[in-house]
Amino acid sequence: MFGRSLVRIIGVPITAGVMLACGVASAAQDQQAGLLTDAEAQAGWHLLFDGASLDGWRGFRQDDPAPGWTVVDGALTRVGGGGDIMTTAQFADFELSLEWQISEGGNSGIFFRVTEEADRTYESGPEMQVLDDARHGDGQSRLTSAGANFGLHAAPAGVVRPAGEWNVVRLLVQGPHVEHWLNGTKVVEYELWSPEWEALVAETKFADWPMYGRATRGHIALQDHGDWVAFRNIKIRALGEPSEPEGPMNGLTDTEVDAGWRLLFDGVTTDGWRGYQREAVSDGWQVVDGTLARVARDRDIITVEQFADFELQLEWRVGSGGNAGIMFRVTEDEVQPYWTGPEMQVLDDDGHADGRSPLTSAGADYALHAVPSGVARPAGEWNAVRLLVDGAHVEYWLNGVKVVEYELWSPEWEALVAASKFGEWPLFGRARRGHIALQDHAPMVSVAFRNIKIREIDRTD
């Protein structure tokens, strides 16, 4: 929603004269909490916390934000017991920037690649320690002091600021490579899964937890360790996402072909598509510069074929204020495709009113399942989609982040549908097979799709 990649912190330590958007305290203090600078937006940073609400956060193994966490003076603050809080979104490779402040004698932590298959956040996610070194017992060991990779890699003394002051974090996670930066100084660097890392884990309590540090993607979590702690200016930049597709434009690599992928759009014609409840594609949809583009007000466009279980990939781009959607398992038994097919929202979050609600923002399961903020790219830029539909299980991925996951026909899904406008449409979400539809949504704002490919899932035993 906000934008694209940042100047990297180079060298240890950063001198007082160097001003970086994610870095030293003077720069952070000048920036209003919960906002991005234009430079950060252009560099690919996204907010994980807006400074005003708990949108995009929930408790570990909970649907809602963990009790005891609230917003105080623009900071995400632990004020009472309730357990760890974590992002609703998951991340693989990223650069995380935030500030933290701890109470006297306080203890907390920042975990990454957390999965909910383990019983606790720290049983899967490595931890960057948050601590009042001067007053907490863990400050007596560099292995458990502020900035350390808790219990495994020591952090140097003299870097953390006292209780009551803000500390600036940069956490870099790229494949197995991890760096902890604290107040402009790189305090820890290690390689996950290396012989050295495996040996350290084997000698600690983490050896008892088989999922510790093994995930390649997961949630970011903030620890409730029983003490007051606050976090602000929490932002992230995904790494390893090319601006252009790795394979041929509107084509397939040999690996994709071997894996069962095939094109739904060849970049040259509208073959394989037709208008909803029509026999052909009408003039409102045309091929423009290798994209399937909506160029005039018309009806939705659907695939000629129908699909049951599949993995769909594509990229979309909308103009300023644009609104569209991707629907699946659409049947032609109703007036509109969205009366039967669930919709992954396509939107200019910044320029359209629907962007004010996480239930109708880009990537959402429209009006039913909310999406975390800050994942969609701005109008005029390409967004990458992965849509997985396997029986009742549905996942929406946007720009490398899983933003929505749900089970069709589950009690939770049935309750959400009954409480929404979809409760008036008896065929909504009921089909086991149907067309894929791309929405033509008024007003007239450009929308384009490219690199549309599908891999069908064979569910026969």
Side-chain angles (χ1 to χ4, degrees):
M1 184 160 92
F2 288 98
R4 303 354 13 164
S5 40
L6 204 224
V7 178
R8 294 244 179 155
I9 301 175
I10 301 174
V12 183
I14 297 175
T15 63
V18 179
M19 306 296 289
L20 293 175
C22 72
V24 293
S26 57
Q29 290 165 354
D30 289 341
Q31 180 181 331
Q32 185 176 349
L35 296 178
L36 292 175
T37 65
D38 290 341
E40 286 174 325
Q42 292 171 3
W45 289 89
H46 309 294
L47 289 177
L48 289 181
F49 171 59
D50 62 11
S53 72
L54 298 183
D55 292 348
W57 294 85
R58 63 179 177 86
F60 181 73
R61 291 184 172 178
Q62 300 176 38
D63 293 330
D64 300 315
W69 292 87
T70 189
V71 180
V72 179
D73 295 332
L76 180 54
T77 307
R78 187 269 183 197
V79 296
D84 298 350
I85 194 169
M86 68 181 197
T87 57
T88 56
Q90 298 187 51
F91 305 92
D93 301 328
F94 60 87
E95 189 171 2
L96 175 73
S97 175
L98 59 78
E99 297 170 80
W100 61 260
Q101 183 184 108
I102 193 77
S103 60
E104 290 189 359
N107 186 348
S108 182
I110 304 161
F111 303 96
F112 64 91
R113 291 181 180 166
V114 169
T115 73
E116 292 178 290
E117 285 77 20
D119 290 333
R120 301 172 182 86
T121 54
Y122 54 79
E123 292 185 13
S124 63
E127 175 187 359
M128 183 177 183
Q129 174 77 309
V130 171
L131 197 78
D132 173 18
D133 278 2
R135 295 177 178 85
H136 193 283
D138 279 357
Q140 296 176 15
S141 169
R142 304 322 309 162
L143 283 171
T144 53
S145 297
N149 176 31
F150 187 87
L152 295 176
H153 295 92
V159 180
V160 69
R161 297 181 180 131
E165 295 187 19
W166 288 101
N167 290 268
V168 182
V169 162
R170 173 184 179 244
L171 177 60
L172 177 70
V173 180
Q174 191 161 29
H177 185 71
V178 181
E179 297 178 13
H180 295 187
W181 293 71
L182 185 63
N183 298 322
T185 298
K186 183 165 65 175
V187 293
V188 165
E189 183 173 12
Y190 62 95
E191 302 294 321
L192 290 163
W193 322 312
S194 65
E196 294 78 9
W197 182 85
E198 296 286 1
L200 290 172
V201 170
E203 296 174 356
T204 67
K205 66 181 181 181
F206 302 113
D208 296 330
W209 302 326
M211 302 193 68
Y212 174 78
R214 301 298 171 179
T216 57
R217 176 184 298 274
H219 305 273
I220 293 165
L222 306 177
Q223 189 178 40
D224 172 7
H225 204 283
D227 302 310
W228 183 96
V229 65
F231 299 86
R232 70 181 186 185
N233 289 321
I234 311 172
K235 61 196 74 171
I236 199 165
R237 180 174 74 92
L239 301 175
E241 295 178 11
S243 58
E244 294 294 333
E246 294 180 354
M249 183 67 66
N250 298 311
L252 296 173
T253 64
D254 291 341
T255 301
E256 287 175 321
V257 172
D258 292 341
W261 289 91
R262 60 190 177 94
L263 292 176
L264 290 182
F265 171 60
D266 61 12
V268 180
T269 70
T270 56
D271 292 351
W273 296 83
R274 62 180 176 82
Y276 181 70
Q277 296 179 340
R278 295 181 179 178
E279 296 182 357
V281 176
S282 49
D283 293 339
W285 291 87
Q286 298 181 12
V287 179
V288 179
D289 296 329
T291 72
L292 184 53
R294 183 256 205 183
V295 297
R297 187 76 180 96
D298 207 330
R299 293 181 67 83
D300 297 352
I301 192 173
I302 65 174
T303 56
V304 173
E305 290 185 74
Q306 298 188 46
F307 304 94
D309 304 310
F310 60 87
E311 185 175 2
L312 175 74
Q313 291 186 7
L314 59 78
E315 295 170 89
W316 60 259
R317 180 180 66 190
V318 294
S320 179
N323 185 353
I326 304 160
M327 289 157 279
F328 63 91
R329 291 182 179 166
V330 169
T331 71
E332 294 180 283
D333 304 311
E334 292 285 7
V335 176
Q336 297 288 350
Y338 59 81
W339 288 20
T340 60
E343 176 188 352
M344 181 179 186
Q345 174 78 307
V346 170
L347 195 78
D348 170 22
D349 280 354
D350 293 330
H352 193 284
D354 277 358
R356 299 171 187 166
S357 169
L359 282 171
T360 53
S361 296
D365 177 35
Y366 188 83
L368 294 177
H369 294 93
V371 67
S373 63
V375 180
R377 295 172 181 150
E381 297 192 18
W382 288 101
N383 291 267
V385 163
R386 173 178 177 251
L387 174 59
L388 177 68
V389 181
D390 189 4
H393 185 71
V394 181
E395 297 179 11
Y396 296 172
W397 293 71
L398 185 63
N399 298 323
V401 176
K402 182 164 65 174
V403 293
V404 167
E405 183 174 11
Y406 61 95
E407 303 294 321
L408 290 164
W409 322 311
S410 65
E412 295 79 6
W413 183 86
E414 296 287 0
L416 289 173
V417 169
S420 71
K421 67 180 181 181
F422 303 112
E424 301 174 5
W425 303 325
L427 296 180
F428 175 78
R430 303 298 171 182
R432 266 59 172 180
R433 173 183 297 273
H435 306 274
I436 293 166
L438 305 178
Q439 189 177 41
D440 172 16
H441 199 291
M444 179 54 221
V445 176
S446 63
V447 60
F449 300 85
R450 69 182 186 185
N451 290 317
I452 311 172
K453 61 192 74 171
I454 199 167
R455 180 180 68 88
E456 293 186 81
I457 299 172
D458 185 0
R459 303 187 74 243
T460 60
D461 294 327

